[in-house]
Amino acid sequence: MPPPHRRTSPSPSNAPCTWSASCVIPITAPSMLNGAVVRDGRIEHVGDREWLVGMLRDNGVPFTETHVDGVLMPGLVNAHTHLQYTGMAEVGARQYANFPDWMVAFDVVYDAGPQDWRAHAAEGARMSLRYGTTCAADVVTDAEAASALHDAGLHGVAYWEVMGWENAAWRERGLTTVNAQLDAMPTSPGVGLSPHAPYSLESAPLLELPDVARRRGMRLHIHLGESHEEAEWSGGQRGELAELWKSSAAGSYTQMRQGGGGFSSTQFVDQLGVLGPDCHIAHGVYMTADDRRRLRARSTAVALCPQSNRVIGLDAPPVAAYLEEGNMLAVGTDSLSSSPSLDVLEDVALLYEVAREQGYRHEDLARRLLHTATLGGAHALGLATGHERVGQLQAGAVADMVFIDVPVTSIVGTIEAVARHGAGRQVATLISGRVRWARPDIVEQVGPVSADGPHVDEGVAL
Ligand SMILES: [Zn+2]
């Protein structure tokens, strides 16, 4: 592929920039060959390059232009990761037999002693930029890691993770503790609350944590359907879920399961009010048709993390069923403690394979997966609409973008190439219109690269 080139018209430093590519995939509008985007912190216009450049010239607007041979699309949204575990790549590099097997390996490293969570999270943020991620759902377990998104100028939500509470301790000091922890979180770019999983919290905290988040206007995020034990379990079933809630076994998911309930973890957290349009779940592997229906009924999106599932030795998520049934989907890499990479497009490529293996035959697969990895993620984080919207190339949206070096053929063929072979081929990442990472050989063409965080200008009038 020929090297990208930069042409610059003489213009004042605050002139709008026109970014063009051989193919532009706006997600919220039809893709186009030889398209362009005008930006000035926010996207001002998206359209055919010749037309757009001609319009600027006709209006006497001075501008700069950067063209890249390849694809321009919205920055990727990593809808489930733990940036602080970036230093635990030795755990994620191995293959495990099942969830408990992986958990043992994880705990050995996590419990080995204090780690520099802040530095590891910062490194994860740098890797994210390199792979074209501009927005992330970052689950934070240790407070030192809380400012990674903010410090790197990434968009997204830092979710404070809560786990390990039993009912008695929770009633004594749970609310005070968690409220203090949330007060200490950086408010930019966004803060959310993540009750870890149905098996790591008893009923009282799982009931109250969503209320805590919602009173504060925060997003919710939970690991759900990640282990076999969370699947609907009919062996030894003695009662309905509603009956079990009235029994002495209602203290936790584990107790209720031991009490003989034939229900899933999704039914359990749904009864507690965790699910909703302000909540998205991670993994969603062990989900029955009824579980998937509940997610749709609550408008709850699923962040699929197939690479992590494979490393841990789980089954693949039911992506074909989710797509056929119309669940809201996003893509997450999870962390390097259970995945080989923080490249969202690696998970997209695996989702493509898995969907085909599971029998999804429609021609829209690649297009839907790119939607999932951008606007789907933005939706999961509550960032698909409003003034700070991302995941789309659309007038007024924040100018978060990625250039990808894949051969441009037809529009359909190019979308297919990004979904299946785009991983590792990102060449430049822009956040709020500023270049935050560029492949070394094209820095001169697209630069300068900004080292610090976002800077949003208001749009320019054409
Ligand atoms: Zn996770």
Side-chain angles (χ1 to χ4, degrees):
M1 185 163 291
H5 49 278
R6 178 181 177 84
R7 282 172 296 160
T8 305
S9 312
S11 60
S13 59
N14 62 349
C17 298
T18 302
W19 298 88
S20 66
S22 312
C23 180
V24 173
I25 305 174
I27 302 294
T28 44
S31 301
M32 70 199 84
L33 295 174
N34 206 19
V37 167
V38 177
R39 72 85 182 156
D40 194 11
R42 289 180 189 279
I43 291 165
E44 188 65 25
H45 211 98
V46 184
D48 174 78
R49 182 193 161 270
E50 292 296 320
W51 176 79
L52 208 67
V53 167
M55 184 175 62
L56 287 165
R57 288 205 181 103
D58 290 350
N59 284 295
V61 178
F63 63 96
T64 61
E65 185 182 9
T66 305
H67 179 84
V68 174
D69 292 312
V71 165
L72 172 59
M73 62 181 283
L76 300 165
V77 178
N78 189 344
H80 180 69
T81 189
H82 309 245
L83 294 178
Q84 72 170 84
Y85 299 149
T86 300
M88 296 175 74
E90 60 181 293
V91 181
R94 300 202 291 272
Q95 176 66 50
Y96 300 91
N98 51 46
F99 194 79
D101 187 27
W102 170 79
M103 202 70 227
V104 169
F106 178 92
D107 284 345
V108 166
V109 178
Y110 186 86
D111 297 336
Q115 305 217 23
D116 192 345
W117 299 122
R118 177 186 292 270
H120 294 325
E123 178 58 18
R126 275 191 293 276
M127 285 184 186
S128 301
L129 287 169
R130 181 263 170 267
Y131 291 119
T133 291
T134 53
C135 178
D138 182 26
V139 180
V140 177
T141 310
D142 293 272
E144 306 93 286
S147 67
L149 293 179
H150 170 268
D151 296 347
L154 282 157
H155 291 129
V157 176
Y159 289 89
W160 176 248
E161 186 171 54
V162 181
M163 67 168 93
W165 285 94
E166 294 179 352
N167 290 333
W170 175 263
R171 290 188 184 108
E172 194 182 305
R173 59 183 188 280
L175 278 179
T176 322
T177 306
V178 169
N179 274 311
Q181 289 164 336
L182 289 173
D183 287 342
M185 289 287 283
T187 54
S188 169
V191 55
L193 180 59
S194 177
H196 170 248
Y199 52 83
S200 65
L201 289 162
E202 292 198 341
S203 304
L206 269 177
L207 181 68
E208 288 194 353
L209 283 167
D211 294 344
V212 170
R214 286 171 177 141
R215 283 198 194 100
R216 287 169 170 256
M218 288 179 177
R219 305 289 302 183
L220 284 158
H221 184 36
I222 186 169
H223 293 81
L224 196 62
E226 192 184 5
S227 68
H228 294 88
E229 288 71 26
E230 292 177 66
E232 184 176 0
W233 179 73
S234 54
Q237 179 175 356
R238 289 201 299 272
E240 294 297 318
L241 184 54
E243 290 303 313
L244 273 166
W245 281 116
K246 299 174 196 162
S247 74
S248 58
S252 72
Y253 177 64
T254 309
Q255 281 177 19
M256 290 177 79
R257 287 293 293 268
Q258 287 163 352
F263 59 89
S264 70
S265 61
T266 299
Q267 288 172 280
F268 177 76
V269 299
D270 191 28
Q271 292 276 335
L272 289 166
V274 176
L275 305 179
D278 51 1
C279 173
H280 80 289
I281 70 159
H283 300 293
V285 175
Y286 297 99
M287 297 302 212
T288 62
D290 180 68
D291 293 334
R292 300 192 297 269
R293 181 196 59 75
R294 278 172 195 268
L295 295 175
R296 293 194 299 279
R298 310 291 175 248
S299 294
T300 299
V302 185
L304 301 167
C305 312
Q307 288 211 105
S308 169
N309 303 151
R310 192 157 72 171
V311 165
I312 292 176
L314 311 177
D315 294 318
V319 56
Y322 280 132
L323 288 168
E324 294 280 5
E325 295 165 1
N327 281 75
M328 289 186 289
L329 300 177
V331 184
T333 61
D334 216 336
S335 77
L336 290 193
S337 76
S338 63
S339 178
S341 137
L342 296 181
D343 187 345
V344 171
L345 288 179
E346 282 196 21
D347 280 278
V348 167
L350 183 52
L351 286 171
Y352 187 100
E353 277 178 40
V354 169
R356 288 293 189 228
E357 282 165 16
Q358 292 175 347
Y360 190 86
R361 291 283 163 260
H362 304 291
E363 288 179 2
D364 62 0
L365 180 56
R367 181 171 61 76
R368 291 187 71 184
L369 290 177
L370 293 192
H371 179 284
T372 294
T374 52
L375 190 60
H379 177 84
L381 276 71
L383 296 171
T385 60
H387 193 55
E388 302 305 318
R389 65 191 180 277
V390 296
Q392 58 209 286
L393 302 183
Q394 193 182 59
V398 174
D400 285 3
M401 309 190 284
V402 58
F403 283 100
I404 302 174
D405 179 13
V406 293
V408 172
T409 51
S410 63
I411 285 174
V412 170
T414 305
I415 290 172
E416 187 99 355
V418 175
R420 302 186 68 183
H421 312 294
R425 303 185 74 155
Q426 297 87 339
V427 293
T429 307
L430 282 78
I431 296 185
S432 297
R434 298 204 297 169
V435 180
R436 296 300 317 285
W437 176 82
R439 204 171 64 188
D441 60 304
I442 71 153
V443 167
E444 268 187 41
Q445 284 78 20
V446 302
V449 175
S450 304
D452 57 349
H455 165 78
V456 177
D457 300 321
E458 288 309 313
V460 290
L462 294 180

